Amino acid sequence: MYGTGLAKGLLLTMRHFVESYVDDIRYGFRKYHHATDNFGIRQGTKTKGVITVQYPDEKVAVPERFRFVPFLIIEDEDHPTRAGKDWCTSCGICAKVCPPQCIWIVRGNDPNTGRPVPEPEAFFIDIDICMNCGYCAEYCPFDAIKMDHDYELASYDRTTHHIHDKEKLSKPNSYWRSIAPTRAYEEMLARGTWEHKDAAKEARRGAASPRRSAPRPAVEQPAASAPAKSEATGPAEANAAPAPTAEGATPWTEDEAKREERRRKALERKARRAAQRGQ
Amino acid sequence: MDNPGLAPEKRLDATTVEEAIAYLRLEYADVVSTDDREGYQGLIVDSKRLVQIARVIHDDLGFDYLSSATAVDYLGAGDQMEMVYHAYRTSGGGALVFKAQTDREKAEIPSLTSIWRGADFQEREAWDLMGIRFPGHPNLKRILMWEGFHGHPLRKDWREAYYEEDQKPFDNRWPGGHVHRAEEKNVFGKNVTYPPDIDLGRLMDSSETAVYQSLGLGVDVERIMDKDGFETNELVVNMGPHHPSTHGVFRMVLTVDGETVTSLEPVMGYLHRNHEKIGERNTYLHNIPFTDRLDYISSMGNNHGYVLAVEQLMSLGRKYNPPTYRCEALRVLMVELSRIVNHLWAIGFWLNDIGAFFTPVLYFVQERERILDFFEAVAGSRMMCNYMRFGGLFGDLPERLKSVSNLTNDRVRDYNTMQFLTEMINERIPRTIDDLERLLTQNEILIERSVGVGVLSREDAINYSAAGPLLRGSGVDYDIRRADPYSIYPELDFDVAVEAEGDMYARYRVRVTELRESVRILKQILPRLEATAGESIWADGKPGAYAPRVPHGEAYGRVENGKGELGYYVVSAGGRGGSSNPWRYHVRAPSFINLTPMGIMSRGYKVADIVGILGSIDIVLGETDR
Amino acid sequence: MEVNLQELNKTEFPVPAELENNIAITSLSELYNWGRRNSLWPMLFGLACCAIEMIATAASRFDFSRFGFEVMRATPRQADLMIVSGTVTKKMVVPIVRLYNQMPEPKYVMAMGACASGGGPFKEGYNVVSGMDKYLPVDVYVPGCPPTPQALLHGMIALQRKIDGQSIANGDDVPWYGVGTAEPTPVPVLGPDIIDPRQMDMIRRQAEAAATDIASIGIRELPAATQMVAARVTADAAAESETSPVSQDALSFVLPTGAAPWAEAEDIREKRKLRALARKALRATRRAAAAEEE
Ligand code: SF4
Ligand code: SF4
Ligand code: SF4
């Protein structure tokens, strides 16, 4: 009969409409409460309704492999020997594999000898060209450049904001471990140590002479167990990894504070290293 | 199409490709020779008698489907221009590759549009980008750039405004990489160069008039004369390039008589991003993420075609490890998932075009998001997957599709990968397809809008080199996964979707069937993934090099992508050790070539049907314009 | 609505003493901004890959209509916001500028993705425009290739914040209430290469220079000449930006890196306020002078 097809379709739309609200009823007022596990279900394969993510009050967390713009890893502040030091050795591979060629690296040179030192003097990524392909992170032999998960980068002015220099690119190793614990763990296995390759080598060399053997294992032990634990306990643990923020604070204020903090740290680091160089 | 004149025991159109080549060599020894350059294949035909030989290839030998026709500039390596044609039989089998060469300065090769109409746009592209003239072509105008643009950009000696070096990686990035923006180095602060003889006083924007002229209209658009000089009531209507139903920045110039379309001229190039020029500067590896941006709805399929082409080339060399079984299975998994995404998107937006505004799209996007979540967790990005590598993949499936909280208010999800996949493939996607059918297949309005509209006959579909659902919707049983199989498709059990009617509804039904067949394939992939769990995705256990050397030669890798046959023609012209950058990198884009029959498909239908017909072809502009 | 005059009068702008009780400018601005920012209708037009993510953002999972980006209008006449979602090619920039000119004020431009912001991965291509801001004033840049739907939403919220930071008391913020008709952005011409009419003079000079063989047009070969010309270009650009409406504070204001964009809005607002004060003072002196003359 003419019209049955239409009616069937309309029934289906009706069903979709109702299904979206079944979910609301199921969770009641706790729908957007972050403590319940309902988000995973609502955004998973099980849900039937059409459900909106209430950005910015709730955000879909990104998976570990997610790639946005790259960042450089530097050693944590509390690292005993290499605090604030770059992991990057300015080998230039990332600049070579970068498809749109948006990485610029100035290789560091020892001011006294003029020989290259394994540390970049300057490092730039033009995020107006970067295609977020992840090659730099994939092919970096020192695990020194990684893809960031922070996608909230909108700005009013690209001339000053969109070429990321080394200061803006640098983030501590612990940050990488917090945003991608599993991958950091896999990389550790591949490297054989939580330390930077060179540092590990040096430490091995140092271990022969008794002077510098102490710090390495002390760092390695707790760090090695952390991601293993988070694997076992699942999302709750991972959720807790970055510093939790006070509930109710708007994301912008928080974000800004975080960035402010990061900047301050970077400046401090810089100052300290300048002082070290000066010595 | 048998051949009474020659009548050997075996019919000519049933010979193998090798036999066909031998036959041509024998019969036309004076104008046909084998291409014996290292790693090359096929025949070189004297361009003076190209049309005659092509007719033999088409009529007698039965290679009725011209897949790709493209030009290569051999500057410094013979200094000639070369047109490369890949012809296939719709009954299946490999390619008959033939080439015609011409001088660089006065490049001229006879047009083959009289034999394969599908050569139309491809020859126009070769004229536009390479500057080869095609005598006999009915409308040899620029197609991607505008009329009046200076030079033919794909020629090897043509340099763009931001030219730095011939090949990447550029030297000034490391070790002395002082950052600059390219526009800062250009006097005009923009991506432009002007020929020294530019005369601003007599500057005219000729790009528009050219478009109208190619329709047979005078420059004066107000008064339209038909061919005999009578004034008619026809009206020229421009749709696009920012029309909401042209699926991007595509433009059609219609001549309408009342509501009826009398002629239609597709105008494209509004998203011409110079993919091929950049691709020739890039290294082989650099091109993979660029292929993502061709058909950005199904980037996995684009990756696949390109890695197949380069793997073909690499297999010519000594050190080559074919991908492992698990790698192939993962590739097929990804490609079929993107086919589902692609068809859902295509059907959704086609419905938008014919009036079912946004309800179906919203349902399908909801499903697409689930699949994209999977891509994001596995490959790192929702759309630009950049997942495949030569001889392998970016990475194996992660054990869990887990997200990690990183920003404030982040909500975390955590699923078991295989369980997620199983649920998607066994429950969610089939359910969506059922819903789709229930919503649409019997819908009376849909049927009335689409049955008998936009008809493309079987002969035309083949002759115009239509591909994918457009070809199969016209009753041609041609699916590259079956006709010229690659990867592990031979061992998978699925049917090729064919509908004979050739109208919009037939294409819709082909897509729905393909959705179901994709699910069927995915269901076979799941046990294969489980069986190979733990196996490496790399033949030698470790990821490939970042700068592979590719041996000298040419390759044409083609896959059945959601939109149709996606082919990559890659030429490697390295020295003895091979090359690290392709000499020529050409994309045979289904969305581009499928537009060739757009004109004949829409003639005689109403303006409101045109958007539907375009939607039923399913184009994506990233690929059309490249 | 209960109107607390005392509250309304608490404006950041200097109010002459005699008008103190009649002015409610802050709140009016707020109302005005509230209206503008919650009904930003984007134009329904996509350019490239980023457009797909824009559609995904418009779809039910992310749904930007929650922020008042309610309806996408296919006609520029009904749109407030142009989301430049993808690669801008030379061929396409012509219609884009035309569309922009057809949009009624107040209008905003958002550059979505690396391509629209600064050229993106295809920047080196011969047909690609290195950023929408080469032709149109851009309000918000959303980096990423493509920006995920959430990144786009973040950019939209950033735009709303920017609007929040504006005031109707400030002529620079609401140029559309100025005198006379607004100048349309000149539409580029497709010649041998794309020609921006604003650059005609410079191109002519270059052509003349080429004719007299001082410099060829492919400037890269002549670094010395380039510098000379480049200096002139910068001077030109500076002179141009003096007069053109494009030169918003956001473009000339150099900020410390790393701050959230709304923090900049604060700064910009601060600067605007200072300028408003200065203008007011100027006007006051003029008035005083006029009065004296009388
Ligand atoms: S590849 Fe890694 S170590 Fe080498 S320059 Fe790049 S970031 Fe530094
Ligand atoms: S992500 Fe890709 S484009 Fe971006 S800097 Fe790394 S290699 Fe270059
Ligand atoms: S920024 Fe990336 S995703 Fe967006 S249009 Fe450009 S290439 Fe495509």
Side-chain angles (χ1 to χ4, degrees), chain B residues 303-324:
Chain B
N303 285 182
H304 199 193
Y306 177 62
V307 296
L308 279 182
V310 177
E311 279 168 6
Q312 261 181 44
L313 273 174
M314 287 174 135
S315 68
L316 299 172
R318 269 166 295 131
K319 275 197 316 206
Y320 169 70
N321 291 316
T324 60

Side-chain angles (χ1 to χ4, degrees), chain A residues 1-10 12-17 32-34 39-51 56-67 90-93 95-107 124 126 128 131-135 138-139 148-152 158-160 162-163 175 178-183 230-231 234-235 238-239 241-242 245 247 249 251 254-255 258, chain B residues 164 168-184 278 282-293 359 362-363 366-367 369-370 373 375-382 384-390 393-415 419-421 423-424 427-428 431 434-436 438-440 442-446 448 538 543-547:
Chain A
M1 195 189 78
Y2 192 89
T4 38
L6 266 176
K8 264 194 214 158
L10 287 174
L12 190 95
T13 10
M14 188 66 193
R15 208 193 72 212
H16 272 278
F17 178 75
Y32 299 120
H33 196 271
H34 73 279
F39 188 82
I41 298 170
R42 273 189 291 128
Q43 291 297 330
T45 52
K46 296 260 172 28
T47 176
K48 284 190 178 157
V50 182
I51 289 157
D57 299 324
E58 58 175 11
K59 301 171 186 167
V60 192
V62 290
E64 288 190 27
R65 292 187 184 181
F66 179 72
R67 33 190 166 79
S90 78
C91 70
I93 289 181
K96 285 182 195 137
V97 293
C98 175
Q101 297 283 293
C102 65
I103 301 184
W104 282 264
I105 305 169
V106 181
R107 190 168 55 197
F124 303 95
D126 189 341
D128 278 343
M131 67 203 299
N132 308 352
C133 67
Y135 273 171
E138 194 178 335
Y139 290 98
D148 204 350
H149 290 187
D150 182 2
Y151 49 78
E152 300 185 332
R158 81 181 174 95
T159 48
T160 53
H162 286 198
I163 292 187
Y175 172 75
S178 73
I179 62 169
T182 325
R183 292 186 65 199
S230 87
E231 288 240 284
N239 202 359
T245 44
E247 198 53 41
E254 166 51 30
D255 215 36
K258 242 187 346 197
Chain B
E164 287 188 59
K168 290 177 186 175
F170 298 144
D171 276 343
N172 67 359
R173 297 296 196 272
W174 175 88
H178 295 285
V179 68
H180 68 270
R181 287 194 165 100
E183 55 265 41
E184 289 163 6
I278 295 175
N282 283 350
T283 66
Y284 289 98
L285 190 74
H286 286 163
N287 273 338
I288 302 177
F290 277 99
T291 62
D292 288 339
R293 286 150 181 86
T359 305
L362 290 180
Y363 294 165
Q366 190 75 8
E367 295 313 306
E369 289 286 337
R370 296 291 174 281
D373 278 349
F375 285 167
E376 191 177 31
V378 176
S381 178
R382 292 157 46 89
M384 305 305 173
C385 300
N386 187 16
Y387 185 57
M388 298 183 195
R389 302 285 180 271
F390 311 128
L393 299 167
F394 157 68
D396 207 327
L397 297 180
E399 210 154 288
R400 302 189 71 82
L401 305 179
K402 187 167 79 177
S403 53
V404 182
S405 172
N406 156 37
L407 300 167
T408 347
N409 295 337
D410 263 355
R411 300 283 189 268
V412 169
R413 293 160 301 161
D414 186 13
Y415 316 107
Q419 197 189 335
F420 183 91
L421 270 180
E423 275 168 18
M424 283 302 288
E427 289 158 34
R428 218 182 147 105
R431 193 171 69 213
D434 287 343
D435 274 1
L436 186 158
R438 201 168 309 137
L439 185 60
L440 302 168
Q442 297 302 322
N443 188 309
E444 286 82 2
I445 300 178
L446 180 100
E448 284 187 13
W538 295 93
Y546 69 86

Side-chain angles (χ1 to χ4, degrees), chain B residues 347-368:
Chain B
I347 294 175
F349 276 84
W350 171 63
L351 285 161
N352 250 10
D353 293 343
I354 61 172
F357 205 60
F358 268 108
T359 305
V361 173
L362 290 180
Y363 294 165
F364 302 157
V365 169
Q366 190 75 8
E367 295 313 306
R368 175 179 178 260

Side-chain angles (χ1 to χ4, degrees), chain A residues 49-262:
Chain A
V50 182
I51 289 157
T52 304
V53 179
Q54 302 289 333
Y55 184 94
D57 299 324
E58 58 175 11
K59 301 171 186 167
V60 192
V62 290
E64 288 190 27
R65 292 187 184 181
F66 179 72
R67 33 190 166 79
F68 216 62
V69 291
F71 70 96
L72 289 171
I73 292 187
I74 56 169
E75 209 63 80
D76 291 349
E77 284 304 290
D78 52 359
H79 192 279
T81 51
R82 292 165 46 93
K85 203 163 156 32
D86 298 290
W87 276 49
C88 174
T89 61
S90 78
C91 70
I93 289 181
C94 55
K96 285 182 195 137
V97 293
C98 175
Q101 297 283 293
C102 65
I103 301 184
W104 282 264
I105 305 169
V106 181
R107 190 168 55 197
N109 281 319
D110 193 311
N112 302 323
T113 59
R115 293 236 307 278
V117 293
E119 193 176 347
E121 199 173 294
F123 202 111
F124 303 95
I125 294 180
D126 189 341
I127 62 163
D128 278 343
I129 302 180
C130 173
M131 67 203 299
N132 308 352
C133 67
Y135 273 171
C136 45
E138 194 178 335
Y139 290 98
C140 173
F142 297 96
D143 298 321
I145 188 166
K146 292 290 161 207
M147 302 308 282
D148 204 350
H149 290 187
D150 182 2
Y151 49 78
E152 300 185 332
L153 296 173
S155 72
Y156 298 141
D157 177 13
R158 81 181 174 95
T159 48
T160 53
H161 284 251
H162 286 198
I163 292 187
H164 286 193
D165 56 6
K166 199 165 128 206
E167 188 185 314
K168 197 163 179 184
L169 286 168
S170 297
K171 293 187 180 178
N173 190 12
S174 55
Y175 172 75
W176 169 241
R177 282 200 223 156
S178 73
I179 62 169
T182 325
R183 292 186 65 199
Y185 184 68
E186 283 165 8
E187 283 161 10
M188 184 278 285
L189 291 181
R191 267 201 313 272
T193 162
W194 279 104
E195 294 297 311
H196 186 264
K197 260 186 191 169
D198 284 358
K201 227 192 282 167
E202 217 168 274
R204 263 201 303 283
R205 232 185 289 134
S209 64
R211 197 162 44 86
R212 295 231 323 252
S213 58
R216 199 172 61 89
V219 183
E220 193 166 338
Q221 288 320 317
S225 55
K229 189 147 51 74
S230 87
E231 288 240 284
T233 46
E237 186 75 17
N239 202 359
T245 44
E247 198 53 41
T250 55
W252 350 102
T253 49
E254 166 51 30
D255 215 36
E256 213 182 307
K258 242 187 346 197
R259 282 177 205 209
E260 193 52 51
E261 174 78 356
R262 208 193 299 141

